[in-house]
């Protein structure tokens, strides 16, 4: 019997319960032993329990080393930010890939794997007003998260390339190192140093503004991109716009051991709680299903993750999808279609 996959499940708000039900239906249809460890992260519970709700999630995630998170509402403190600090999540991985059947103004095929240093930059600095007319912000780039992101990017380029194309993907590091010579310069120095451990993986450097233009002109030239916090945020949203949907995005959040191997991984959909459609059984679960596929890849069950993706993508391509994607199916109906199609790929 295969080893049980234990997953901390961070239950959320809005459409959270509906897309969680979709996940459970898919999990039950997979030939694997999957055990969910639920943690109530609804806004009512978090507001009532305070930091105890974060403690509970941290304890569970340190035990399982694996989590699936549903959208959460923020009122006073962001649970995402709190758990990232607690568990030292320093890298975010966002794949952005064209999906046939989703209308987009951009007709080129996109296959990008964006690796973002998830700490530092100006995002961790609240800034300060000086006098009446000025404000400053301190921008910090740290060696360790950059090392972790670089190792993750080169490992991913090896793994994805061999899985899909029989050759290693290329890694592009991107920043404004000619202008931000100290901070971005440090980042590029670190990536270059790490690249020495991966002589079989091609590496090139692009200035970030030029990279944005080049991706729009020739996206096929780029595969794995590693970049700093703000740049990764901007790039992920731009790339999602190119493929025609912010609502089908999924991401992985990672903390690391001393040898740069992943310690804890949390996967979540890019979308929000969508309170306007909550409880109506019309939510599109594609993003959370893709996040679940990433989770399965991470625990070396690529066979299951790939079958799930093929089932999902083939359904969307055939027009068997939810209304936001111009289909006619509700959440439950779409989930069943994905399951039926997934089974043919197992």
């Amino acid at each position: 019997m295969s080893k049980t996959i234990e997953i901390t499940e961070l239950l959320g708000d809005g459409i959270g319960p509906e897309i969680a039900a979709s996940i459970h239906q898919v999990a039950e249809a997979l030939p694997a032993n999957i055990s969910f460890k639920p943690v109530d992260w609804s806004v009512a519970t978090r507001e009532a329990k305070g930091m105890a709700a974060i403690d509970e999630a941290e304890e569970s995630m340190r035990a399982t080393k694996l989590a699936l998170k549903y959208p959460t509402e923020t009122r006073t403190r962001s649970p995402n930010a709190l758990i990232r600090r607690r568990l030292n999540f320093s890298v975010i991985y966002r794949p952005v890939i064209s999906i046939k059947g989703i209308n987009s103004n951009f007709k080129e095929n996109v296959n990008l794997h964006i690796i973002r240093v998830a700490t530092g930059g100006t995002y961790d600095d609240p800034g300060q007003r000086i006098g009446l007319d000025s404000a400053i912000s301190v921008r910090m780039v740290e060696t360790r998260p950059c090392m972790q992101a670089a190792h993750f990017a080169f490992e991913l380029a090896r793994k994805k390339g061999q899985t899909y194309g029989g050759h290693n993907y290329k890694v592009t590091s991107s920043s404004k190192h000619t202008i931000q010579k100290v901070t971005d310069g440090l980042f590029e120095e670190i990536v270059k140093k790490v690249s020495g451990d991966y002589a079989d993986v091609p590496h090139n450097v692009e200035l970030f503004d030029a990279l944005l233009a080049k991706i729009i002109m020739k996206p096929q030239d780029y595969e794995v991109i590693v970049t700093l916090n703000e740049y990764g945020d901007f790039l992920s949203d731009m790339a999602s716009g190119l493929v025609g949907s912010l609502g089908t995005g999924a991401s992985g959040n990672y903390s690391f051991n001393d040898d740069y191997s992943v310690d804890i991984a949390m996967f979540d959909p890019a979308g929000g709680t969508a309170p306007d459609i909550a409880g109506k059984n019309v939510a599109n679960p594609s993003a959370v299903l893709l996040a679940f596929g990433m989770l399965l890849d991470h625990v070396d069950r690529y066979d299951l993750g790939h079958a799930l993706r093929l089932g999902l993508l083939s359904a969307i391509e055939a027009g068997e999808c939810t209304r936001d994607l111009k289909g006619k199916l509700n959440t439950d109906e779409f989930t069943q279609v994905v399951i039926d199609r997934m089974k043919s790929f197992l």
Side-chain angles (χ1 to χ4, degrees):
M1 182 176 289
S2 61
K3 181 181 177 182
T4 299
I5 302 170
E6 294 189 342
I7 304 169
T8 297
E9 189 178 33
L10 301 175
L11 305 175
D13 304 295
I15 61 171
E18 294 159 86
I19 62 175
S22 180
I23 287 290
H24 281 258
Q25 291 165 35
V26 169
E28 288 172 8
L30 289 170
N33 298 314
I34 299 174
S35 174
F36 291 96
K37 310 295 182 185
V39 175
D40 184 357
W41 253 23
S42 64
V43 68
T45 297
R46 285 183 284 111
E47 291 292 306
K49 285 188 173 181
M51 296 306 290
I54 308 300
D55 296 340
E56 184 180 356
E58 179 185 1
E59 182 180 359
S60 180
M61 291 168 70
R62 289 194 182 280
T64 63
K65 302 295 184 181
L66 204 58
L68 188 65
K69 180 191 171 295
Y70 303 109
T72 50
E73 177 187 338
T74 296
R75 287 185 187 167
T76 53
R77 288 175 293 191
S78 166
N80 294 351
L82 290 169
I83 201 66
R84 281 182 179 138
R85 290 193 187 97
R86 289 280 192 95
L87 297 177
N88 297 314
F89 284 138
S90 58
V91 171
I92 297 173
Y93 165 36
R94 174 77 65 84
V96 182
I97 299 170
S98 297
I99 298 177
K100 293 179 180 178
I102 294 181
N103 292 327
S104 170
N105 293 326
F106 189 70
K107 302 308 177 187
E108 298 293 329
N109 188 52
V110 177
N111 178 27
L112 296 177
H113 301 268
I114 300 167
I115 312 303
R116 169 185 169 190
V117 178
T119 64
T122 54
Y123 282 17
D124 287 339
D125 176 58
Q128 183 176 336
R129 295 292 293 267
I130 299 178
L132 296 175
D133 303 314
S134 302
I136 63 168
S137 183
V138 176
R139 189 162 182 270
M140 182 171 66
V141 172
E142 298 175 277
T143 295
R144 189 169 182 79
C146 292
M147 290 280 285
Q148 292 165 342
H151 277 282
F152 186 94
F154 282 98
E155 289 287 345
L156 183 74
R158 250 186 205 160
K159 190 171 184 178
K160 288 289 183 185
Q162 293 300 323
T163 299
Y164 288 108
H167 66 277
N168 293 332
Y169 278 8
K170 178 175 66 179
V171 173
T172 299
S173 56
S174 186
S175 64
K176 289 288 290 181
H177 62 277
T178 56
I179 303 298
Q180 303 275 7
K181 293 183 179 181
V182 177
T183 51
D184 292 22
L186 174 61
F187 165 74
E188 295 292 359
E189 287 174 15
I190 291 167
V191 179
K192 183 178 180 180
K193 180 179 179 181
V194 172
S195 74
D197 297 331
Y198 298 87
D200 57 317
V201 179
H203 168 234
N204 73 307
V205 181
E206 292 275 12
L207 291 173
F208 187 71
D209 49 349
L211 175 73
L212 298 179
K214 289 180 179 181
I215 286 174
I216 292 172
M217 292 186 289
K218 294 186 71 177
Q220 64 271 21
D221 286 352
Y222 299 94
E223 293 161 325
V224 176
I225 299 173
V226 58
T227 190
L228 290 165
N229 203 349
E230 300 99 327
Y231 303 140
D233 192 7
F234 307 153
L235 178 60
S236 294
D237 281 358
M238 185 202 79
S240 295
L242 293 181
V243 301
S245 177
L246 287 167
T248 58
S251 63
N253 304 261
Y254 304 88
S255 66
F256 295 84
N257 298 307
D258 290 340
D259 63 355
Y260 301 109
S261 62
V262 174
D263 180 23
I264 301 171
M266 180 180 77
F267 301 88
D268 58 347
T273 59
D276 55 319
I277 60 169
K280 297 180 180 179
N281 195 30
V282 297
N284 180 359
S286 293
V288 76
L289 291 175
L290 290 170
F292 188 39
M294 292 177 68
L295 182 152
L296 293 168
D297 290 350
H298 174 70
V299 296
D300 295 324
R301 291 308 308 265
Y302 175 82
D303 56 328
L304 304 182
H306 191 52
L308 171 55
R309 280 186 293 275
L310 290 176
L312 173 71
L313 298 178
S314 65
I316 294 174
E317 184 176 4
E320 296 179 308
C321 49
T322 48
R323 296 169 197 173
D324 60 308
L325 299 180
K326 312 303 181 186
K328 298 179 180 179
L329 304 181
N330 64 30
T331 309
D332 291 340
E333 292 167 340
F334 176 65
T335 301
Q336 190 58 54
V337 167
V338 171
I339 290 170
D340 292 341
R341 286 176 169 271
M342 177 184 74
K343 288 179 177 178
S344 69
F345 295 108
L346 289 169

